[in-house]
Amino acid sequence: MKNLVVLISGRGSNLQALLATARAEDWERTIELRVAAVISNRADAAGLQIAREFGVAVQVLSHLDFSDREGFDIALARAIDVHRPELVVLAGFMRVLTRTFVEHFAGRLLNVHPSLLPAFPGLATHRQALAAGVRVHGATVHFVSSDVDAGPIVAQGAVGVRPDDNEESLAQRVLALEHQLLPRCVALVARGDIWLERDQVRARATAASQLALLG
Ligand code: GRF
């Protein structure tokens, strides 16, 4: 059985989508993958309750208990390594990670970001998209590199921006895409249909049709 560890900081709707898909598609049997643990850097993250409801082990490791980023990331890497994960997913994990951490999990670390990277890294992506006047916006799942919201792209989902959109309406449609995209990418990587090779994403031909999603 391969293990997956999910890192969260808040609401946990992507975690919920992941756990629901894992259950519905019976990943433990079909891809021999199980969500071994959910780790949050915030004790008040609503996603912790979602994990518990799915019977997944949870751990809180507060960054506030550490005097520097390096110390926190070392402790976090240790907490993750206990589970010997095949894959680590950042599902709304709102921390900038050190190079050492990212290198330790190279090729095994996925993030979901609410924009069509490389456009709009960072926060308030929907506000950024509206301000820029783009006509197409979306979500990206990528392998993590040590720059913020950067790294080889696995898959993207796009939605059209409507003239009457506001931040909230746009966020809602993009989030719905994230919820489809993230579980799909996790399954593809866990199955070995997608992998990282010298900083390039490689995919089996059979996976190609699943890498772009139009909302
Ligand atoms: C998502 O939009 C994710 O892409 C971003 O933070 C948000 C987390 O939402 N990194 P949730 O906690 O998964 O509901």
Side-chain angles (χ1 to χ4, degrees), residues 5 13-14 18 39 84 107 114-115 150 161 163 165-167 177 179 208:
V5 172
S13 70
N14 277 291
L18 201 57
I39 302 177
R84 303 187 172 279
S115 80
V161 180
D165 260 328
N166 54 38
E167 239 177 291
L177 276 186
H179 294 165

Side-chain angles (χ1 to χ4, degrees), residues 169-188:
S169 62
L170 196 50
Q172 217 170 33
R173 293 208 305 289
V174 171
L175 193 63
L177 276 186
E178 292 183 46
H179 294 165
Q180 292 181 56
L181 209 56
L182 184 63
R184 185 183 290 195
C185 290
V186 167
L188 285 170

Side-chain angles (χ1 to χ4, degrees), residues 27-50:
W27 280 0
E28 290 200 12
R29 199 177 52 79
T30 55
I31 46 179
E32 295 185 335
L33 181 75
R34 67 176 192 122
V35 182
V38 170
I39 302 177
S40 172
N41 66 313
R42 296 184 55 123
D44 62 354
L48 289 170
Q49 189 49 30
I50 295 173

Side-chain angles (χ1 to χ4, degrees), residues 71-88:
F72 174 70
D73 277 13
I74 288 169
L76 181 60
R78 282 203 188 119
I80 296 169
D81 280 344
V82 166
H83 305 283
R84 303 187 172 279
E86 191 89 1
L87 209 53
V88 179

Side-chain angles (χ1 to χ4, degrees), residues 29-150:
R29 199 177 52 79
T30 55
I31 46 179
E32 295 185 335
L33 181 75
R34 67 176 192 122
V35 182
V38 170
I39 302 177
S40 172
N41 66 313
R42 296 184 55 123
D44 62 354
L48 289 170
Q49 189 49 30
I50 295 173
R52 286 191 197 100
E53 280 162 16
F54 276 85
V56 176
V58 299
Q59 186 177 351
V60 174
L61 190 69
S62 173
H63 57 281
L64 301 175
D65 293 338
F66 296 82
S67 56
D68 56 20
R69 199 176 284 288
E70 284 70 24
F72 174 70
D73 277 13
I74 288 169
L76 181 60
R78 282 203 188 119
I80 296 169
D81 280 344
V82 166
H83 305 283
R84 303 187 172 279
E86 191 89 1
L87 209 53
V88 179
V89 171
L90 309 178
F93 187 62
M94 308 304 279
R95 297 274 311 162
V96 173
L97 296 162
T98 56
R99 183 176 291 273
T100 313
F101 181 95
V102 170
E103 282 172 3
H104 181 71
F105 294 106
R108 295 187 285 157
L109 191 57
L110 287 180
N111 181 43
V112 58
H113 180 76
S115 80
L116 289 171
L117 290 172
F120 317 132
L123 299 173
T125 54
H126 310 303
R127 196 181 315 154
Q128 293 188 59
L130 290 171
V134 293
R135 295 287 174 238
V136 179
H137 184 43
T140 303
V141 173
H142 62 97
F143 283 104
V144 176
S145 68
S146 42
D147 297 321
V148 176
D149 296 326

